[in-house]
Amino acid sequence: MIMPARPASPTFAELFTPKLVTVLREGYTLKNLRGDAVAGLTVAIVALPLSMAIAIASGASPAQGLYTAAVGGFLVSLLGGSRFQIGGPAGAFIVLVSATVARHGMDGLILATFLSGFLLAAVGFLRLGAFIKFIPFPVTVGFTAGIAVIIFASQIKDLLGLTLAVPEPGPLLQKIPALVNALPTISPAALALSLATIAIIAGLKRLRPHWPGMLIAVTLAALITWKLGLDVTTIGSRFGGIPSTLPAPSLPTLSAAKIIEVLPAALSFTLLGAIESLLSAVVADGMTGRRHRSNCELVAQGAANIGSALFGGFCVTGAIARTATNVRSGAHGPVSGMLHAVFILIFMAAAAPLAAFIPLASLAGVLAVVSWNMIEKPAIAVLVRSGWGDAAVLAATFFLTVFRDLTEAIVAGFALGSVLFIHRMSKATAVETQTPFVAEDMADRTLPRGGYDGALAASPELVVYRITGAFFFGAAASVASVLDRIQDTHKALIVDFAAVPFLDSTGANVMEGLARKAEKRGVRLFVSGASADVRRSLLTHGVRPPAVNFAATVGDALEQYRGRAPA
């Protein structure tokens, strides 16, 4: 039998060449540059208010959000493995970043971001990007919905303009009573601004979907606040405005004790950053028909996080909404993402004075819209209808995200999803007994060689089992219980592996035990139809001649048995 040649492993250059190099090699024209410039400007307009809002919600300053978008976004596009990926601060990180700031301070956040950059690059260079895709879909939907709930809850204070007598609690169950107690301090002006921001964004999305609704809403809110002199909290009153240039790069404070202290946060940033960035790249692939280089993308995300930390920014990842906007705006390649970062720097230089008048209530309205859009309503409905298993994984991930911890939620959701998959795979694995018989027009010893079609010599001393599906640890117990039924009257046992695509060490160990039992009872064991990989695994675990006879088909195994069996 001729086996198909295995495809050659991709070279280092094929795995890690940035898409920018690929695009330039194809030939980059002035028309391509115009398309990328328009797309980059469009994305920058979307990213400007969003970056500041995410930073404030994360416990950082709006300037840090802009540094993250400019530096991180530029490096993601420069070095990344996706043509259309837009990097920057993402709403999914708000929970982790705010918890890190509360626990380790701003220096701890920057150090954790710096470390996560090296970890992401290591994950990419070790070629582990392909394994990120194994995160089950209900887990990604569940933790995204949970993050959306937490983001919205974190914005209630600014949406209503509340004044709390104590610092706002982080956990949701403690936050809600504190917010309820502060309801008498509600600010009508802040509430009006937040509702107006939400209404403008929603209205423009319906009536003028190509207009930058978020920027328009925030700009109008800032102008109204400035003209009317509204007594509401603004970027200027809380943060003193934003700078018009990038700061000088500097290394974060490094010490062994501090590194150990923030390492868990860095690991969380790495895990979520890898998931978010590759998920965003997959979305871009689906919209364009292109294919991204996952390991190259992770290396670029690592470099972007290191660069962001050097300029005082925080976590960078692929942003799904901004990446989709980039594609819809007619981007040709990574140059659009690089220009988006340049445009953000230009906006910082030109609009820094106006930014001081942006009310936090308006930015809270932006994040309220973002959190609503993050919840994948159709996907949740489908998962709930698909069965109890997926619904349970979704619910567990969602509630653990909201009430416990994002990392715990992902780990627990992945574990539940894996158990669900193992359960389903074990149900799909079956063992069938093939009843021997002789065709009426065929003599006992005239079976076609290698052409088993169900014609076997009727004999109580021969039994044939056919295994269908993956023979792995989840199905090993049920398969073993069937195979162990070797009777004293049996002289030969044929186990057909033709329909077994995969055999793990547990399945191979079951076969090794069966071989020992058969040899002890004087039963000849035949294994037929095993693929090269399955046969290699069996041989590795000691399932080898003379205890076992291998054959290409059941018919061949029968001929071997008859040729050696006594007349």
Side-chain angles (χ1 to χ4, degrees):
M1 181 172 62
I2 300 177
M3 300 296 293
R6 292 189 176 184
S9 299
T11 64
F12 184 89
E14 291 171 333
L15 286 172
F16 295 104
T17 299
K19 283 289 185 176
L20 177 63
V21 175
T22 303
V23 169
L24 295 179
R25 284 174 179 171
E26 293 173 352
Y28 194 73
T29 65
L30 185 59
K31 179 182 178 182
N32 298 146
L33 178 59
R34 283 198 298 267
D36 282 337
V38 171
L41 177 60
T42 304
V43 176
I45 290 171
V46 173
L48 195 69
L50 203 53
S51 299
M52 291 189 290
I54 290 172
I56 293 170
S58 302
S61 69
Q64 288 178 285
L66 296 176
Y67 301 158
T68 304
V71 177
F74 187 87
L75 292 174
V76 164
S77 297
L78 177 69
L79 304 174
S82 171
R83 284 177 179 254
F84 307 102
Q85 183 84 281
I86 298 296
F93 275 90
I94 289 176
V95 179
L96 288 177
V97 172
S98 59
T100 304
V101 172
R103 192 173 297 120
H104 305 293
M106 190 56 62
D107 288 344
L109 169 64
I110 294 174
L111 178 58
T113 301
F114 188 70
L115 295 176
S116 74
F118 288 100
L119 293 173
L120 277 167
V123 170
F125 281 127
L126 291 173
R127 305 185 184 186
L128 301 179
F131 293 97
I132 302 298
K133 69 180 72 171
F134 296 137
I135 300 293
F137 181 59
V139 175
T140 61
V141 174
F143 80 70
T144 302
I147 290 169
V149 170
I150 295 175
I151 291 174
F152 180 78
S154 70
Q155 298 308 299
I156 294 176
K157 174 178 175 291
D158 288 329
L159 282 169
L160 303 179
L162 300 178
T163 301
L164 273 66
V166 295
E168 183 177 0
L172 189 63
L173 293 179
Q174 301 173 25
K175 182 192 298 287
I176 292 175
L179 293 174
V180 171
N181 291 334
L183 282 178
T185 65
I186 191 170
S187 168
L191 178 59
L193 287 171
S194 60
L195 291 178
T197 299
I198 295 171
I200 291 171
I201 295 172
L204 288 178
K205 184 178 181 181
R206 178 180 294 273
L207 300 176
R208 295 290 186 269
H210 298 294
W211 289 17
M214 290 183 181
L215 185 63
I216 291 173
V218 171
T219 302
L220 288 176
L223 289 173
I224 291 171
T225 301
W226 171 53
K227 279 291 186 181
L228 300 182
L230 297 178
D231 184 19
V232 294
T233 305
T234 64
I235 287 179
S237 64
R238 179 174 293 185
F239 302 101
I242 62 171
S244 58
T245 59
L246 285 175
S250 62
L251 282 171
T253 303
L254 297 173
S255 69
K258 193 67 175 178
I259 289 173
I260 294 172
E261 183 182 335
V262 302
L263 187 59
L267 291 170
S268 298
F269 292 168
T270 302
L271 175 61
L272 185 57
I275 294 172
E276 281 287 304
S277 60
L278 294 186
L279 182 60
S280 178
V282 168
V283 169
D285 288 350
M287 297 176 68
T288 62
R290 300 281 185 173
R291 291 188 63 187
H292 72 281
R293 297 171 184 142
S294 58
N295 293 303
C296 180
E297 184 63 28
L298 291 179
V299 172
Q301 296 289 339
N305 276 275
I306 294 171
S308 176
L310 292 176
F311 284 89
F314 53 93
C315 307
V316 180
T317 189
I320 295 176
R322 277 160 275 174
T323 298
T325 301
N326 190 39
V327 173
R328 295 192 196 101
S329 301
H332 175 73
V335 174
S336 64
M338 297 164 65
L339 290 176
H340 127 272
V342 173
F343 285 128
I344 287 177
L345 291 177
I346 293 173
F347 289 148
M348 284 176 59
L354 177 62
F357 293 98
I358 295 176
L360 298 189
S362 181
L363 293 178
V366 169
L367 285 181
V369 174
V370 169
S371 62
W372 174 256
N373 292 334
M374 282 179 66
I375 301 175
E376 301 176 59
K377 279 78 72 176
I380 292 174
V382 169
L383 290 172
V384 169
R385 291 197 303 266
S386 64
W388 66 268
D390 288 333
V393 174
L394 171 69
T397 308
F398 173 79
F399 286 112
L400 283 172
T401 300
V402 173
F403 296 109
R404 285 290 300 171
D405 176 77
L406 180 61
T407 306
E408 289 182 20
I410 293 177
V411 172
F414 180 79
L416 285 174
S418 301
V419 171
L420 179 63
F421 171 77
I422 292 168
H423 173 72
R424 288 171 173 169
M425 286 293 292
S426 65
K427 293 294 183 182
T429 305
V431 184
E432 302 172 355
T433 304
Q434 302 295 310
T435 305
F437 69 93
V438 175
E440 294 178 357
D441 60 346
M442 187 178 293
D444 287 357
R445 298 179 183 270
T446 59
L447 288 172
R449 182 172 182 80
Y452 172 72
D453 59 358
L456 294 172
S459 172
E461 66 186 33
L462 178 67
V463 63
V464 179
Y465 288 119
R466 172 170 291 152
I467 303 175
T468 305
F471 190 0
F472 72 118
F473 65 92
S478 58
V479 173
S481 66
V482 175
L483 297 181
D484 276 347
R485 297 171 191 164
I486 303 176
Q487 305 297 327
D488 293 335
T489 56
H490 292 152
K491 300 300 180 184
L493 169 63
I494 301 174
V495 182
D496 185 14
F497 273 77
V500 177
F502 169 73
L503 174 77
D504 74 348
S505 58
T506 307
N509 187 62
V510 168
M511 291 301 300
E512 194 272 335
L514 177 66
R516 282 190 283 105
K517 183 176 181 180
E519 188 175 28
K520 185 176 181 181
R521 294 193 177 189
V523 177
R524 295 183 60 197
L525 177 62
F526 296 86
V527 173
S528 68
S531 67
D533 288 339
V534 169
R535 184 167 178 169
R536 189 180 303 112
S537 181
L538 289 171
L539 291 172
T540 301
H541 285 79
V543 183
R544 59 178 70 244
V548 177
N549 302 279
F550 288 94
T553 66
V554 173
D556 286 345
L558 183 60
E559 285 191 357
Q560 287 185 39
Y561 169 68
R562 292 188 168 214
R564 299 179 185 178

